[in-house]
Amino acid sequence: MRALTGWFQLGLCAASLAAPAIAADGSTSLFIQGKRIILRPGEEIQDGAILVRDGRIAAVGRDLRQPEDAKRIEGAVVCAAYIDAWGALGLGQDSLRDPTTSAATRTVDGLDPWADEHLRRETLRAGVTVVRVQAGADARVGGIGALVRVAPDLPAGDAVVQPACSLSMSIGQAAPGEAEGRDPFERIADLDRVVSAVETGKNYLIARTEHRYELEEWEKKIAEKETELDKDAKKAKKDREKEQKEAEEKGKPFQEKKYKEDKRPQPPRYDEDSEILGRVADGAIPFFVQANRSSEIRGLLTGTAEHDRLRLVVVGGAEALACSRMLAERRIPVLLAPVPRGRLGSNEEETAPLSLAGDLARAGVPLLLGTGGEDAGASRDLPLVAALAIGNGLERSKAFEIVTLGAARAFDASDRLGSLEVGKAAEILVLEGDPLTAGAGVRYVVSAGRLVVEPGN
Amino acid sequence: MMITILALSAAASPLATHRAILAPESRLLAIRAEQVVLPDGGAPARGVILIEDGRIAAVGPDVEVPEGAILVEHRGTASAGLVALHSYSGSPSEMFDSTRSVLPEARVSLAFDPANPDFADALRAGITSIVLTPIPASLCGGTSALVKTSGGVVVRGEAQLSLGFSSLALRNNRFPTSFGGAVAELDRLFEEPEGVFARAAKREIPVLLEASSREDVARAIAFAQRHELTGAISGAAWAGELAEKIHSAELSVVCGPWRIGEERRDLLAVLALEKAGVPFGFAIDAPANHPLMLRAGAAMCLREGLGRATAWRALTSDAARIAGAEDRIGSLSKGLDADIVLWSGDPLDLGSTPQAVYVDGKLAWKDKP
């Protein structure tokens, strides 16, 4: 009987080896075969395969063998999944439209991982697996944006890719209820506010660094004094006793000798907004500033020119072409949402021409593409928005790079996202045709190692 | 003028896709393209379109280019111009009367501004014909107009009779004030019809039934059947659920307008119409929306599973039929207006773009070389 149970158990083991294994966290071992595998923009292999294990890409190549426990899927074209650099998925209207956000407001705190489930499914089906979301769309300071996965029901560690991927501010953004943008004086004040925010951050950083040095100095001095006193402890005791005796003899009260020590240096007053602005000034968090008019973009560029660690991104940039040389020289990206808008009620200076993406790319300005950060359902249409940009002059290969590796780099996530390389997270599309074309036909989508879209679901 | 433009473009850039052979006295224009989208629905193949006096004289893979004809070589795809079915281009605030709800004699064709930049936007998006509709804020907003996007040409001065079935047509300070009252008033107008109502009752002019909710659509279908009208329902999101009923009433549908982030339900409605065999076309509602959203909407429907051939017909020949002008526009067929778009690639791919647009055989717009 005992032997029988043993055999039975062995049989179970064998069965579980042969069937595709789904790990406890939901990730699957996958063997993805493609006629064409786009490893990274501009680099591809023919008739290859990708092995996905534990949520990561375990192997890529032409001579891979399918492990028995891996589920096999295949298609004409395999490439990295798309990233929407400016979306609103999972963010309620109250967080999205919150006018009271400040630099330290974290978008992740307002995210609802269960919200918009049907939109999440649609977005995945379109091949978009990661979105940058940003609260405070109507505020002058929108707070800290987050890079999150679209797939629902992910464990917290997988749901959020980068909890602090941008700090957002805006120039000339109309307040809620205002039909028009701000008047010129308010706009100038907005620009000043943006530039001085960086100054504030830098000064806070300087003050904190100075405090750290002063504190070190002070601690050193105190330590020196202590050793000195320790050394002369016996003599000091004798002197004290002598003085005490003398005082008694003379009938005077004994006065203890006091050592005056330097005052401990005080740190700068803790301020959560300045903490974040300091990290922005230091380049640890990219600085996304919404600016459309050329005068304001120029003011922003000149106003922040001396902060060489700052990582500025111009958002909107309707008239960015007028500043393209400065933008290209300083490698400052422009984040566009090239959604075609009608003429009715649109402000000439804040409506980007459809050819802007192509024109900026040709001028050597780095680009990011997004869907505008206001409509949770729009992230689904990122591939169409990118295709429209292609139709209006952006090179197809460039557009593909922008929505994959380019976006990953901009948000410091290129070690995990944006291309199909061993060790990176498995964010993979299996398509019927070339990415961003009408014939792309998304068949399978893998996100965080999970098969989130299959034909027919 | 056209010849000069072509000659200049050929001289200006060695990469120019258009090559002109000068023949100033010729009235014949020939376009030879790598791919020509023919009305038979087959795969586009290399072919020639011959144009004489603004009309298509011949089209096909075996058409010879006659001697003396101006020849345009195109390295992409040539197709018929797109047809948008519902728009306020150049006439955004027209066709509304705050005191009267029935304006049968109002015509958009007399009220639009052909020089409005809305038309240039549409032309650049590959749209060569637009149906300009009265705003749906009246019980009867008058008649829509089918116009070309270049030259202010009116193809059908009274394209459709617009009838309002949505709450937009009701005002609490203007008769009628209720849905019941509205239907009763419309029924009365068709009881012993006069003027344009008589022509609609005799099916000489199609009706455009403006709806926005499921109930509106149901009322519109019942009304059209009661009076044996022909025409189209505008309000696709809700029309999908009633696709079978629309089909049995032999009506068509105007879907859209579309926006980025469009609700999937609206897109699935289009698939339901295809399944039920209901002909449909798309709205753009410019200037509130950009004309590029016409093709973008078709691309969204394609992504959701709409057939390529159906999508293409919705953008061209089916739309032309709904506008009552299939004998003038909507396909590259002999005798039709020479409204032709030269695309950089597949017109259903948003990555393709018009490089030149011909309206009535004349070059109306051309991309910079």
Side-chain angles (χ1 to χ4, degrees):
Chain A
M1 190 62 210
R2 210 182 155 77
L4 248 174
T5 327
W7 278 113
F8 183 63
Q9 276 172 350
L10 209 68
L12 266 183
C13 276
S16 66
L17 269 179
I22 295 178
D25 65 348
S27 63
T28 319
S29 286
L30 294 167
F31 187 71
I32 306 168
Q33 283 183 307
K35 288 215 158 42
R36 216 181 120 207
I37 297 184
I38 304 171
L39 298 177
R40 46 193 290 137
E43 189 187 334
E44 52 184 76
I45 53 172
Q46 308 289 325
D47 293 312
I50 295 174
L51 181 63
V52 173
R53 271 192 198 284
D54 304 323
R56 295 184 178 281
I57 296 173
V60 178
R62 296 197 55 182
D63 310 311
L64 291 187
R65 283 185 53 185
Q66 182 187 352
E68 279 189 6
D69 63 336
K71 181 183 166 78
R72 191 172 72 100
I73 56 178
E74 57 184 345
V77 179
V78 179
C79 67
Y82 309 137
I83 301 168
D84 182 358
W86 195 12
L89 204 64
L91 208 56
Q93 283 295 314
D94 44 354
S95 302
L96 186 66
R97 298 272 166 220
D98 187 353
T100 65
T101 45
S102 74
T105 307
R106 294 170 8 126
T107 303
V108 263
D109 295 335
L111 277 178
D112 180 352
W114 292 279
D116 304 330
E117 181 161 349
H118 65 291
L119 294 182
R120 288 171 184 271
R121 298 263 170 228
E122 285 174 35
T123 306
L124 288 173
R125 268 198 293 269
V128 181
T129 67
V130 172
V131 176
R132 169 188 157 252
V133 283
Q134 177 70 58
D138 289 335
R140 288 165 179 167
V141 186
I144 307 166
L147 196 64
V148 299
R149 283 204 170 83
V150 173
D153 294 333
L154 289 178
D158 283 336
V160 178
V161 181
Q162 190 77 280
C165 73
S166 59
L167 176 75
S168 163
M169 285 186 79
S170 66
I171 298 169
Q173 170 79 38
E178 274 179 35
E180 299 285 312
R182 296 173 186 281
D183 72 31
F185 295 105
E186 286 177 312
R187 302 182 78 101
I188 292 167
D190 281 356
L191 175 58
D192 281 350
R193 199 173 288 115
V194 168
V195 173
S196 61
V198 184
E199 301 279 350
T200 306
K202 194 171 189 179
N203 291 340
Y204 188 78
L205 217 57
I206 290 170
R208 244 187 26 189
T209 314
E210 275 175 359
H211 167 250
R212 212 169 55 227
Y213 283 121
E214 280 168 11
L215 194 65
E216 261 174 38
E217 205 104 305
W218 177 81
E219 277 168 353
K220 221 161 87 184
K221 262 191 197 161
I222 293 295
E224 273 169 18
K225 197 90 185 171
E226 272 175 1
T227 34
E228 198 183 304
L229 287 174
D230 261 1
K231 236 190 231 169
D232 304 337
K234 271 182 192 164
K235 188 176 172 281
K237 195 180 174 189
K238 243 183 213 171
D239 288 352
R240 185 177 176 270
E241 279 167 1
K242 198 179 155 192
E243 275 170 31
Q244 208 169 0
K245 208 171 164 187
E246 271 173 22
E248 250 171 53
E249 277 168 13
K250 288 178 186 168
K252 282 179 186 171
F254 171 68
Q255 259 188 336
E256 195 83 63
K257 196 176 174 184
K258 278 182 181 162
Y259 293 96
K260 201 182 170 201
E261 70 184 44
D262 289 344
K263 206 180 153 198
R264 187 188 172 93
Q266 288 300 302
R269 217 183 114 193
Y270 177 82
D271 176 52
E272 50 178 8
D273 288 341
S274 303
E275 285 282 328
I276 297 302
L277 294 174
R279 287 173 64 189
V280 168
D282 198 30
I285 301 175
F287 192 32
F288 280 55
V289 181
Q290 199 165 339
N292 280 304
R293 299 187 181 181
S294 61
S295 58
E296 284 153 12
I297 297 171
R298 201 175 298 119
L300 179 64
L301 293 177
T302 48
T304 57
E306 62 187 67
H307 303 284
D308 48 3
R309 294 183 68 83
L310 184 76
R311 287 163 64 201
L312 186 65
V313 175
V314 174
V315 180
E319 294 182 343
L321 202 56
C323 311
S324 58
R325 194 191 290 180
M326 260 204 271
L327 291 163
E329 267 170 18
R330 284 168 57 189
R331 303 293 301 155
I332 293 173
V334 177
L335 167 54
L336 297 174
V339 174
R341 293 185 199 287
R343 284 180 181 273
L344 207 64
S346 59
N347 185 337
E348 197 77 10
E349 285 160 316
E350 266 141 45
T351 309
L354 291 162
S355 62
L356 184 60
D359 291 342
L360 286 175
R362 272 188 294 281
V365 179
L367 288 179
L368 291 168
L369 288 178
T371 52
E374 297 200 341
D375 180 358
S379 290
R380 176 198 66 191
D381 293 336
L382 175 73
L384 295 185
V385 169
L388 280 167
I390 295 166
N392 285 288
L394 183 64
E395 250 180 76
R396 196 177 287 279
S397 56
K398 191 88 200 161
F400 177 72
E401 185 186 344
I402 290 167
V403 296
T404 54
L405 196 55
R409 281 204 190 107
F411 301 119
D412 293 327
S414 60
D415 56 331
R416 283 159 288 164
L417 301 175
S419 62
L420 305 182
E421 285 164 277
V422 173
K424 284 199 180 185
E427 304 289 320
I428 306 171
L429 306 183
V430 181
L431 311 172
E432 285 165 5
D434 286 348
L436 306 181
T437 65
V442 177
R443 281 176 63 79
Y444 296 95
V445 178
V446 179
S447 182
R450 294 156 178 81
L451 192 55
V452 289
V453 172
E454 289 181 75
N457 80 351
Chain B
M1 183 58 196
M2 177 186 68
I3 296 158
T4 328
I5 292 165
L6 286 173
L8 273 176
S9 76
S13 160
L15 293 170
T17 43
H18 307 93
R19 189 166 59 88
I21 299 166
L22 288 178
E25 69 280 8
S26 171
R27 289 189 319 193
L28 267 180
L29 171 69
I31 296 172
R32 185 152 63 201
E34 307 245 302
Q35 314 220 283
V36 177
V37 183
L38 293 172
D40 59 13
R46 193 174 164 79
V48 170
I49 308 158
L50 205 59
I51 298 152
E52 191 173 16
D53 293 330
R55 302 211 168 204
I56 298 169
V59 60
D62 313 316
V63 173
E64 296 267 325
V65 178
E67 211 162 300
I70 302 160
L71 178 68
V72 174
E73 289 272 11
H74 178 58
R75 287 186 205 141
T77 305
S79 81
L82 308 183
V83 182
L85 279 185
H86 200 282
S87 187
Y88 312 114
S89 312
S91 59
S93 59
E94 289 295 340
M95 315 298 285
F96 172 69
D97 190 315
S98 59
T99 58
R100 291 184 303 155
S101 192
V102 180
L103 315 161
E105 61 283 352
R107 294 186 189 183
V108 189
S109 62
L110 304 176
F112 80 104
D113 168 20
N116 192 290
D118 292 347
F119 292 106
D121 287 348
L123 199 60
R124 297 177 61 156
I127 299 168
T128 53
S129 300
I130 302 184
V131 175
L132 304 178
T133 44
I135 57 170
S138 308
L139 213 50
C140 171
T143 48
S144 65
L146 176 66
V147 303
K148 294 285 175 77
T149 49
S150 174
V153 178
V154 177
V155 182
R156 292 273 184 273
E158 292 177 296
Q160 300 150 318
L161 178 64
S162 170
L163 303 176
F165 284 84
S166 76
S167 58
L168 291 171
L170 303 176
R171 293 274 186 286
N172 58 9
N173 58 355
R174 185 184 72 178
F175 173 82
T177 54
S178 69
F179 286 121
V183 174
E185 178 64 8
L186 284 172
D187 276 333
R188 195 187 60 77
L189 291 167
F190 276 90
E191 215 162 273
E192 281 171 30
E194 288 172 4
V196 71
F197 295 112
R199 285 161 59 210
K202 280 187 261 173
R203 297 168 83 104
E204 288 170 8
I205 174 173
V207 288
L208 177 66
L209 309 166
E210 296 279 5
S212 66
S213 77
R214 193 178 186 279
E215 282 312 302
D216 296 347
V217 175
R219 272 198 308 279
I221 297 170
F223 183 82
Q225 282 183 315
R226 199 153 60 236
H227 300 284
E228 296 175 355
L229 305 175
T230 178
I233 297 171
S234 175
W238 305 88
E241 294 172 16
L242 299 165
E244 288 296 338
K245 281 192 175 165
I246 297 169
H247 183 251
S248 55
E250 292 175 26
L251 293 169
S252 309
V253 172
V254 179
C255 306
W258 311 103
R259 59 182 179 88
I260 294 296
E262 187 66 53
E263 273 185 47
R264 185 152 180 263
R265 173 191 180 149
D266 299 14
L267 304 171
L268 295 182
V270 177
L271 268 65
L273 295 175
E274 182 192 35
K275 202 175 160 209
V278 176
F280 58 89
F282 299 124
I284 51 172
D285 285 11
N289 299 293
H290 197 283
L292 258 181
M293 290 310 295
L294 181 77
R295 241 171 8 113
M300 285 179 200
C301 297
L302 281 177
R303 184 191 58 205
E304 300 301 330
L306 186 72
R308 269 186 68 94
T310 315
W312 182 247
R313 282 202 311 272
L315 291 170
T316 55
S317 55
D318 279 354
R321 199 166 299 123
I322 291 167
E326 69 270 33
D327 57 337
R328 288 282 302 273
I329 57 168
S331 67
L332 293 181
S333 305
K334 192 182 168 192
L336 264 57
D337 294 1
D339 296 347
I340 298 159
V341 183
L342 305 186
W343 305 87
S344 59
D346 174 11
L348 286 174
D349 187 338
L350 293 182
S352 306
T353 184
Q355 293 180 322
V357 182
Y358 292 81
V359 175
D360 293 323
K362 292 192 189 74
L363 185 66
W365 181 79
K366 188 178 180 301
D367 199 3
K368 53 185 183 276

